[in-house]
Amino acid sequence: MRLTQKKIEEILIKILGEDGMPIVKELAGKENVSEFDLATKTKKDIKVVRKMLYLLYNNNLVGFTRKKDKQKGWYIYYWTLIAENIKFSYFKSQRELLEKLRDRLENEEKELFFICSSNCVRLNFDESIGFDFHCPECGELISQDSGESRIIHMRKRIEEIEKELKVHEKEKKKVLKKQAKVRKKVVKAKTKLTKIKKTPKGGKKSKKVTKKNTQKIKVSPTKKKKVLKNKKG
Ligand SMILES: [Zn+2]
C-alpha cells in the first residue's frame, strides 16, 4: 500500500510542526529537490529550510545527494523523502495510537464521569467527590455523563485502525514471502553457477578451489591466473 499524500504530511508535520507544511508539500512525490529551490518556493530562509531538513534526516525520513557547484565552489544538497521509512513510521504511530485508544476506551467503560451543564469540566468519580459534585469552575451541580457518544466514537476509530493495520500486516507478509522466494532463487542460481565455474574440463585441480579452500591454500601465481580465468568463464 502506498501512503496517501495526507498521511505522509501527517507524519512529517508531527516532526516539523505546522510551519513545515510548505516544505513537505514541495518534497512529496519528487526526487532530488535542491535546498535552494525549497527555500525559494516556500519563501523561507535557507537556514530554516536546512534546519527542517536535518530534523527529517535525523529521523531517517529524508536522504540527500550533493553536487559541487563549479562556479561557486560549494556543495548544493538535493533531498528526497524516503517513502519506505515514512511508511514504517506511520504504521508505528498507528500502533501506538491504537494502544492509547484501547486504554482510554477501557477507562471510559469502567469509570463514572460527571460533567458541568455549562461544559466547564468533566471529572471522574473520585474527583467529583473531591469537589462535592459541584463544578470547580462555576459552582453548578455536576451530573453523570454516560460517555456513550465518546465510547461509540472510540470504538469506531479502534476498528478503523485495526483494519488498516491488518491489511498492512497482510501486505508485509506477502512482500516478505516474495522476497524469500527471490532470495531462494538467487541462491539456487548462484550455486548452479559456482558448480559450473568450478568444475572445468579436466577439473581435478580446480575442484580443490572451493570457497573454503581459497582462503587456506596458497595458490601459486600461475594457478591463481587459472582460477581467475575459471571464475570469469
Ligand atoms: Zn461549570
Side-chain angles (χ1 to χ4, degrees), residues 49-70:
V49 171
R50 280 190 185 135
K51 206 176 146 195
M52 289 191 178
L53 287 167
Y54 293 147
L55 260 176
L56 295 181
Y57 182 69
N58 284 336
N59 284 280
N60 263 325
L61 301 177
V62 72
F64 68 83
T65 55
R66 52 175 207 174
K67 267 186 204 156
K68 199 166 187 173
D69 187 312
K70 277 176 192 156

Side-chain angles (χ1 to χ4, degrees), residues 3 9 57 65 68 108 112 116 134 140 142 169 171-172 183 195-196 228:
L3 287 189
E9 284 169 8
Y57 182 69
T65 55
K68 199 166 187 173
E108 196 69 36
L112 285 176
C116 165
H134 283 80
E140 282 288 317
I142 51 177
E169 286 303 320
E171 274 180 22
K172 220 165 80 183
R183 224 175 291 138
K195 269 185 190 164
I196 293 167
L228 281 175

Side-chain angles (χ1 to χ4, degrees), residues 34-92:
S34 138
E35 52 192 7
F36 291 107
D37 282 352
L38 272 178
T40 314
K41 282 188 180 151
T42 59
K43 296 186 182 109
K44 284 184 192 296
D45 190 271
I46 185 76
K47 279 181 199 158
V48 175
V49 171
R50 280 190 185 135
K51 206 176 146 195
M52 289 191 178
L53 287 167
Y54 293 147
L55 260 176
L56 295 181
Y57 182 69
N58 284 336
N59 284 280
N60 263 325
L61 301 177
V62 72
F64 68 83
T65 55
R66 52 175 207 174
K67 267 186 204 156
K68 199 166 187 173
D69 187 312
K70 277 176 192 156
Q71 283 173 348
K72 290 165 187 156
W74 62 51
Y75 282 102
I76 298 177
Y77 288 74
Y78 297 87
W79 301 83
T80 307
L81 293 176
I82 306 173
E84 258 321 290
N85 293 357
I86 295 172
K87 199 167 154 182
F88 180 83
S89 185
Y90 172 76
F91 284 107
K92 191 176 159 226

